Amino acid sequence: MSLKLEDSTLENISSLLDILSREVLSQNKGSEPVQNDLFYVLIIVLMLENGFLPVINDSEVKESVNSYDVQHLIPKKLETGLYEAKFVMFGCSDLPLKLIISPMGALMLINLVINDMNGETYSVCLPISRYVVSPRASSIPMIFRDLKHLSVTFKNKVLSAVKSKILSNYGYPSASLVGLPDEIILFNILPYLPARDVLNISETCKRLKAVASNDGLWREMYKRDYKDNTTVVTSWKTLYKEKYLLQDKTKNSSISIRNIQDHRSVTSFYPDERNIPFYIFPLRDVI
């Protein structure tokens, strides 16, 4: 591909994205808007750019994509309304992956499943119209927007975790937390992070959420942050939250005006408050 998806502009996009988009549009002339199909194409291009190879006809791994293979990459929606495709990571052809994309109104739920690892799944939910803004634009590049954000988000939320898990399965070292043993994460990393960062990590995947929910971890963080000699509690995470709320309450009167200003600043960028990222809200709202 001459240009990566994240480097796309209003004048130029990757050649594969251009070819697939034209094919999708030619097959849907006069039909309803094809935002979902075009979004699926974006994810396929990202998979190929990041070292994942398509599996065609259930068994044939394609190490390079030619004009004939493009036909097999065109989205074919199942009767259930889902999109599915199969991949393997380069060099790991005996560990198949299934890409499942589920339309959910204005959103797309993307799941990448590692079939031979107890169906371990990595997911992200993204708004379609942020990236596919004008399906009937006069030129293909103008159909899309904010592709750098899509590329970074999909890689950080899904692809990096999947790569790390696969490499770990083969015994290779990984630069990601996902590739580290639970014990290392629990005892040697998380206890040294602020509570905000621990919560952010817990949102990345189910495995790290389970690790970050360990009550012993929150006991250590409670004693570290509040210097309290409490010894027996039902839930250290709950106690941490209660202590945080108590301290936060004492500050509310002095910072209420600033909070209103901050809220106005945030909502100016996110008119729909449902789309405000959770990390913008105070810790008390998400712990």
Side-chain angles (χ1 to χ4, degrees), residues 69-83:
D69 298 323
V70 164
Q71 297 298 321
H72 295 277
L73 299 177
I74 297 300
K76 295 179 177 61
K77 190 183 297 185
L78 304 179
E79 291 183 1
T80 57
L82 305 179
Y83 298 88

Side-chain angles (χ1 to χ4, degrees), residues 2 7 13 154 181 220 235 249:
S2 57
D7 298 322
I13 57 175
F154 187 53
E220 296 303 315
S235 168
K249 186 176 181 180

Side-chain angles (χ1 to χ4, degrees), residues 61-124:
V61 177
K62 302 297 295 185
E63 294 194 7
S64 62
V65 177
N66 55 40
S67 58
Y68 171 77
D69 298 323
V70 164
Q71 297 298 321
H72 295 277
L73 299 177
I74 297 300
K76 295 179 177 61
K77 190 183 297 185
L78 304 179
E79 291 183 1
T80 57
L82 305 179
Y83 298 88
E84 286 191 6
K86 295 180 180 179
F87 289 87
V88 295
M89 194 170 91
F90 181 78
C92 307
S93 58
D94 57 336
L95 203 58
L97 307 168
K98 179 180 285 188
L99 175 69
I100 305 172
I101 301 182
S102 310
M104 301 175 61
L107 304 173
M108 280 285 207
L109 176 61
I110 307 166
N111 297 294
L112 193 54
V113 184
I114 308 177
N115 290 340
D116 291 349
M117 298 180 67
N118 298 318
E120 187 153 344
T121 304
Y122 296 84
S123 307
V124 66

